[in-house]
Amino acid sequence: MEFIDYYTVLEIGKSASEADIKKAFRKLARKYHPDVNPNDNTAKLKFQQINEANEVLSDPEKRKKYDKYGKDWKHADQFDQQQAQYSNRGGQQQRSSAGGTDWGNADFGGSDFSDFFSSMFGSQTGGGRRQASYKGQDLTAELKLELKDVYTTHKQTLTVNGKTIRITIPAGVENGQTIKLGGYGNPGANGGPNGDLLITFSISNNTPFNRDGSNLYLTKDIDLYTALLGGEITTDTFNGKVKLTVKPETQPGTRVKLKGKGFPVYKKEGESGDLFITYNVVLPTNLDEK
């Protein structure tokens, strides 16, 4: 059997921290997991090697032994014995070579680990391997809505991976915004938590209003005489109509603000932005001599 470079397997350097090892393992385990690569024996073997490398490098004691002996792993037991003999003041041999574990020929049957691992570290406590658990794969979904749909908090039902999910959509959700539903993704492995469901909103606007965050903008036509002399007009807001007083000599492009008449602020119940109305003065046509 050949020496296995666990650092190469996990694509990390020998100075990698525990966090580096954990990150590398999760990344590669997801990539080569049998569920992601069905009927792919190469991926299955790679997945086993990744698990084995993580088993060693994530365990401080195993990693210390592995780093200490490296390619000389076959002689690890002999080295340990010699060190014990040297440090024994009475010169007594704590464990003879004949009575020690034969690392090169140990038989641990039934393990999914390589012969190299079994020879260097022996069988696992309780007779089985410890498999690392990790979070399931996240799922993504797109939910198409209209602007009027997200003006109020409401519930929506959607189907993801054959499962029907009923969610509450807070008023004020933005186009392109993504929300996360924890635990609604794919199942985790070896007891790990489920992945998450990431829902991205695609919001179309079929209204005369332009939206910028929680503020709304509207252009309102007024006739020349109202602009010159002033008067009262009726205009739309997103949830109804209001009356406005136009001041005399109002210039084209004049903007007025209706406080609190904009769009609801996301996850701030009772708060809304403002509505800005820009006056467009319409000149009269088809004038007669009078």
Side-chain angles (χ1 to χ4, degrees):
M1 69 192 76
E2 296 183 358
F3 167 76
I4 300 177
D5 188 337
Y6 291 137
Y7 291 100
T8 299
V9 171
L10 289 184
E11 301 177 5
I12 55 177
K14 289 187 176 181
S15 61
S17 65
E18 290 184 10
D20 294 335
I21 294 170
K22 185 177 182 180
K23 181 178 180 181
F25 166 69
R26 287 184 173 179
K27 175 183 176 182
L28 294 173
R30 288 185 181 183
K31 180 178 179 180
Y32 291 102
H33 194 281
D35 290 346
V36 181
N37 304 276
N39 303 319
D40 188 337
N41 291 329
T42 301
K44 180 179 179 181
L45 177 60
K46 182 69 174 178
F47 183 72
Q48 291 174 347
Q49 291 175 343
I50 292 165
N51 270 327
E52 181 173 309
N54 180 68
E55 177 73 23
V56 174
L57 300 184
S58 64
D59 185 315
E61 291 301 319
K62 288 189 177 73
R63 183 180 183 183
K64 182 178 179 181
K65 182 175 181 179
Y66 176 79
D67 289 343
K68 182 177 181 181
Y69 295 114
K71 293 183 179 181
D72 295 322
W73 62 274
K74 289 185 178 181
H75 306 293
D77 192 50
Q78 297 175 21
F79 292 156
D80 287 341
Q81 291 176 34
Q82 291 174 4
Q83 287 182 352
Q85 293 173 20
Y86 183 79
S87 62
N88 190 325
R89 292 181 180 178
Q92 295 180 351
Q93 182 173 342
Q94 292 185 348
R95 184 176 61 172
S96 68
S97 153
T101 303
D102 183 358
W103 293 95
N105 297 300
D107 180 12
F108 301 102
S111 171
D112 289 335
F113 289 107
S114 68
D115 291 339
F116 166 72
F117 179 94
S118 298
S119 295
M120 191 167 190
F121 300 103
S123 60
Q124 297 299 289
T125 302
R129 63 178 294 182
R130 176 183 65 81
Q131 295 187 353
S133 61
Y134 60 94
K135 182 181 176 182
Q137 186 178 18
D138 292 341
L139 297 178
T140 59
E142 183 183 62
L143 185 56
K144 295 183 178 181
L145 299 170
E146 292 187 11
L147 188 62
K148 62 182 179 60
D149 296 327
V150 295
Y151 185 77
T152 57
T153 298
H154 69 288
K155 294 184 182 295
Q156 283 275 348
T157 299
L158 61 156
T159 301
V160 179
N161 268 11
K163 295 181 179 179
T164 300
I165 303 172
R166 187 171 175 81
I167 63 173
T168 298
I169 301 176
V173 166
E174 299 247 12
N175 180 49
Q177 182 176 342
T178 298
I179 64 172
K180 179 175 73 174
L181 300 181
Y184 282 90
N186 284 334
N190 302 326
N194 290 351
D196 302 322
L197 172 60
L198 305 176
I199 301 177
T200 300
F201 294 96
S202 176
I203 301 173
S204 58
N205 184 2
N206 297 317
T207 74
F209 299 91
N210 290 321
R211 180 189 182 189
D212 183 9
S214 59
N215 291 328
L216 293 175
Y217 297 84
L218 178 69
T219 298
K220 176 67 176 178
D221 290 341
I222 59 174
D223 60 56
L224 175 63
Y225 308 109
T226 302
L228 289 174
L229 304 175
E232 191 175 74
I233 63 171
T234 299
T235 186
D236 291 320
T237 67
F238 206 87
N239 63 344
K241 295 180 181 292
V242 296
K243 290 184 177 181
L244 294 179
T245 298
V246 179
K247 295 179 180 181
E249 300 182 2
T250 293
Q251 299 298 309
T254 297
R255 176 181 287 183
V256 295
K257 180 174 76 173
L258 278 62
K259 188 172 180 61
K261 290 294 185 179
F263 217 74
V265 179
Y266 180 68
K267 284 193 173 182
K268 290 188 177 181
E269 191 69 27
E271 290 190 31
S272 295
D274 302 321
L275 170 60
F276 294 88
I277 296 179
T278 300
Y279 291 131
N280 176 47
V281 178
V282 180
L283 299 178
T285 58
N286 301 320
L287 297 176
D288 56 24
E289 292 183 3
K290 182 178 178 180

